[in-house]
Amino acid sequence: MFINGVWIQEGSRGTFPVTNPSNGTVVRKVADGGREEANAAIAAAAKAFPDWAAQTAHKRSALLYQAYQVLISRKDQLAELLTLEQGKPLRAATTEVQYAADFLLWFAEEAKRIYGETIPSARPDQRFLVRHEPVGVVAAVTPWNYPISMVTRKLGPALAAGCTVVLKPAEATPLCAIEMVKIFEEVGLPAGVVNLVTGSDPKPIGEEFVTNPLVRKLTFTGSTPVGKMLAGKAAGNMKRVSCELGGHAPFIVCQDADPVHAAKGLQLVKFLNTGQACISPNRIFVHESMVEAFKNTLVERVSKMKAGNGLEQGVSIGPLVNDAAVAKVDAQVQDAIAKGAEIVCGGERLTANGLDRGHFYAPTVLNAIKPAMTIYREETFGPVAAIVPYGDDDDVLAMANDTNYGLAAYVYTQNLSRAMRLYEGLNFGIIGINDINPSGASAPFGGMKNSGIGREGAREGISEYLETKLGGFSI
Ligand code: NAP
């Protein structure tokens, strides 16, 4: 933990182990903190806030830029650590570290663009001025599936805006967060500006975050139930909240699409991070005229995927986070099969060649998915491609929107009018049109409905950390 510029190796609850999900070995032990550390970290952040907020935007920008440079210089080292604690293949880990760095660079630039406004008044003797000020102490909670980029996507804009921060990373993946905080320390962020509380039990830390009056904003990325619970409590204390929550993305392959191209895209995005991504396609609507062609290409590509330790050459798919995740994925697959789904490939836990020491599930393709199946409604967060054949454009739009989630959606079509109709008609925050990676530091990321509140990245990302102050001047 890192509180008020001091590293703490052992917390009030001692330490807890961080394990490698591909083989169960302990990577490192980390300080186990609770409510008292969260409280101390918030106090440190509150003390540091006035001076940090008073720094010039240029100064904050320069520090963020330096942090960006150091992160880039340690890309390989951090990618390896990321693979060790999270399991994703090294190449994907390297891409994530770059993505994490992109947010530091973007918000180093945005720090200097927090513009105010002058507004004409109806009264001749009056002038209106608007300025934007940092909200204050930010409590940030991040998940394990993207252990470093979710940290910079929050800390980049918060620090750029002039806020101070207390970060709680996921229990499963605190190591990259620790390394990121070390970088902020190295480049000279003053004590108390960034604080880190690690812990094996998130509840007391979360409770302190949402009840302590010194916290002015909660930014949370994780599951919808936890996000709703924390947002509810934060609302009771009138704190600002942004939430990036779960998803249930539709992936629509229209009758005019190239089924081979679409299947390649689906394979890449569906099995990315072993399906453990909030923007992972969960319902794959394929026009009935091309189900066979789509399925064949998909299976051909999926059968070449090699599961294993992400540090090994040739491994293209890593483990799930833990055994509970394996059990959840398998339960969804068994439920679908019992209700009539066709199993095209996979559908079982992988145990051969030492994989039983980790949490591996075979990349799976199911066809003939129906609304009554659990997978049609619940986020899978695992390597299962669930194909739903459809016949009509209007039907598919209604089916795609028939979910409580609203994060990402994908469309494959070569018809411009159809692309525009679906882009406008889909009730999701992020729409990829023939595009499996509709994200980047410059683009607003976030969801509608149960997928959350607010946007990260982009011009909008920094406004989540700013208050608006009006000045009315009578002259
Ligand atoms: P999670 O169980 O909700 O955990 C997320 C974070 O919240 C972790 O740091 C966790 O700590 C913490 N947490 C859990 N209970 C808490 C409590 N009572 N008080 C305070 N903090 C608490 O979610 P997850 O399984 O890590 O992440 C997967 C979910 O995140 C999926 O639903 C995915 O779609 C979503 N996600 C969304 C986005 C997005 O941008 N929309 C991005 C990535 C992931 P512990 O780890 O210590 O339990």
Side-chain angles (χ1 to χ4, degrees):
M1 282 183 287
F2 187 64
I3 299 176
N4 203 22
V6 177
W7 285 100
I8 298 163
Q9 305 302 335
E10 200 168 313
S12 52
R13 295 154 172 252
T15 59
F16 66 96
V18 178
T19 54
N20 180 334
S22 71
N23 56 24
T25 54
V26 174
V27 183
R28 211 189 287 170
K29 288 200 169 151
V30 168
D32 198 352
R35 192 158 185 165
E36 76 186 67
E37 284 96 345
N39 183 284
I42 292 166
K47 190 160 152 269
F49 175 67
D51 281 354
W52 181 244
Q55 297 278 355
T56 65
H58 287 71
K59 172 79 178 168
R60 290 198 297 265
S61 169
L63 287 170
L64 280 171
Y65 185 67
Q66 282 175 43
Y68 159 77
Q69 287 179 308
V70 178
L71 181 52
I72 287 291
S73 73
R74 295 193 190 150
K75 191 152 93 171
D76 293 344
Q77 190 180 326
L78 273 156
E80 200 172 314
L81 184 66
L82 205 167
T83 295
L84 278 175
E85 68 172 339
Q86 201 274 344
K88 66 183 69 177
L90 192 56
R91 197 162 150 226
T94 310
T95 306
E96 185 186 336
V97 179
Q98 178 64 55
Y99 183 57
D102 291 347
F103 287 104
L104 295 181
L105 179 58
W106 175 262
F107 287 109
E109 291 159 346
E110 287 299 288
K112 294 177 282 185
R113 296 183 191 125
I114 301 171
Y115 301 132
E117 257 185 311
T118 62
I119 299 172
S121 161
R123 269 172 38 204
D125 69 312
Q126 190 179 46
R127 305 288 181 271
F128 283 139
L129 247 69
V130 172
R131 61 183 243 120
H132 299 288
E133 299 181 352
V135 295
V137 174
V138 171
V141 180
T142 52
W144 49 264
N145 61 342
Y146 286 89
I148 191 155
S149 55
M150 296 302 100
V151 169
T152 57
R153 203 159 79 170
K154 296 185 185 309
L155 268 53
L159 296 171
C163 297
T164 53
V165 182
V166 181
L167 168 67
K168 192 213 84 69
E171 176 195 357
T173 58
L175 303 181
C176 283
I178 291 172
E179 294 308 307
M180 192 60 240
V181 171
K182 279 187 189 159
I183 292 177
F184 284 128
E185 182 195 17
E186 268 174 57
V187 301
L189 252 70
V193 171
V194 171
N195 304 274
L196 174 73
V197 179
T198 48
S200 61
D201 180 2
K203 292 185 197 74
I205 302 170
E207 193 61 26
E208 186 65 21
F209 281 3
V210 292
T211 53
N212 190 317
L214 296 174
V215 173
R216 294 311 319 139
K217 153 118 197 169
L218 172 75
T219 173
F220 173 84
T221 297
S223 60
T224 296
V226 175
K228 279 186 174 178
M229 183 276 290
L230 291 175
K233 289 189 176 178
N237 293 303
M238 209 42 82
K239 298 186 193 305
R240 288 162 159 263
V241 173
S242 39
C243 284
E244 297 286 348
L245 308 177
H248 205 273
F251 185 104
I252 305 173
V253 184
C254 300
Q255 67 245 54
D256 57 64
D258 171 353
V260 171
H261 185 58
K264 283 181 186 168
L266 187 272
Q267 185 260 334
L268 288 169
V269 63
K270 175 67 241 184
F271 298 101
L272 185 74
N273 216 16
T274 319
Q276 302 170 114
C278 49
I279 59 168
S280 192
N282 228 111
R283 292 162 298 151
I284 299 138
F285 296 104
V286 182
H287 192 267
E288 56 203 9
S289 62
M290 51 186 58
V291 168
E292 276 313 301
F294 182 86
K295 224 167 59 173
N296 292 342
T297 304
L298 186 57
V299 172
E300 188 195 317
R301 292 178 72 90
V302 168
S303 60
K304 290 186 188 139
M305 296 183 80
K306 185 179 169 209
N309 182 333
L311 292 180
E312 280 170 22
Q313 276 285 334
V315 164
S316 52
I317 186 160
L320 287 161
V321 63
N322 52 31
D323 268 341
V326 175
K328 180 187 170 197
V329 169
D330 194 52
Q332 284 199 3
V333 170
Q334 299 315 324
D335 168 82
I337 294 169
K339 291 175 181 160
E342 170 200 353
I343 177 128
V344 184
C345 66
E348 62 193 352
R349 185 178 188 147
L350 294 175
T351 52
N353 304 321
L355 294 188
D356 56 334
R357 287 186 284 126
H359 317 291
F360 290 93
Y361 199 83
T364 299
V365 178
L366 299 174
N367 186 26
I369 295 298
K370 299 267 170 13
M373 300 170 184
T374 311
I375 201 165
Y376 194 90
R377 301 259 167 229
E378 272 183 19
E379 189 180 33
T380 304
F381 235 55
V384 184
I387 300 173
V388 190
Y390 78 93
D392 180 272
D393 265 8
D394 289 339
D395 285 353
V396 81
L397 181 59
M399 287 191 288
N401 282 334
D402 180 22
T403 167
N404 291 328
Y405 291 108
L407 188 57
Y410 305 84
V411 176
Y412 270 70
T413 177
Q414 296 182 42
N415 178 308
L416 181 60
S417 306
R418 183 173 277 129
M420 188 56 80
R421 266 200 314 277
L422 287 166
Y423 169 65
E424 290 179 355
L426 284 162
N427 300 327
F428 296 81
I430 302 164
I431 318 279
I433 304 285
N434 300 318
D435 185 3
I436 51 161
N437 187 21
S439 91
S442 59
F445 190 105
M448 302 176 179
K449 303 198 276 185
N450 275 352
S451 291
I453 305 170
R455 293 294 180 271
E456 290 191 323
R459 206 170 45 202
E460 283 164 85
I462 203 162
S463 62
E464 303 278 343
Y465 299 92
L466 293 168
E467 287 280 13
T468 295
K469 184 184 274 181
L470 170 70
F473 293 75
S474 184
I475 56 171

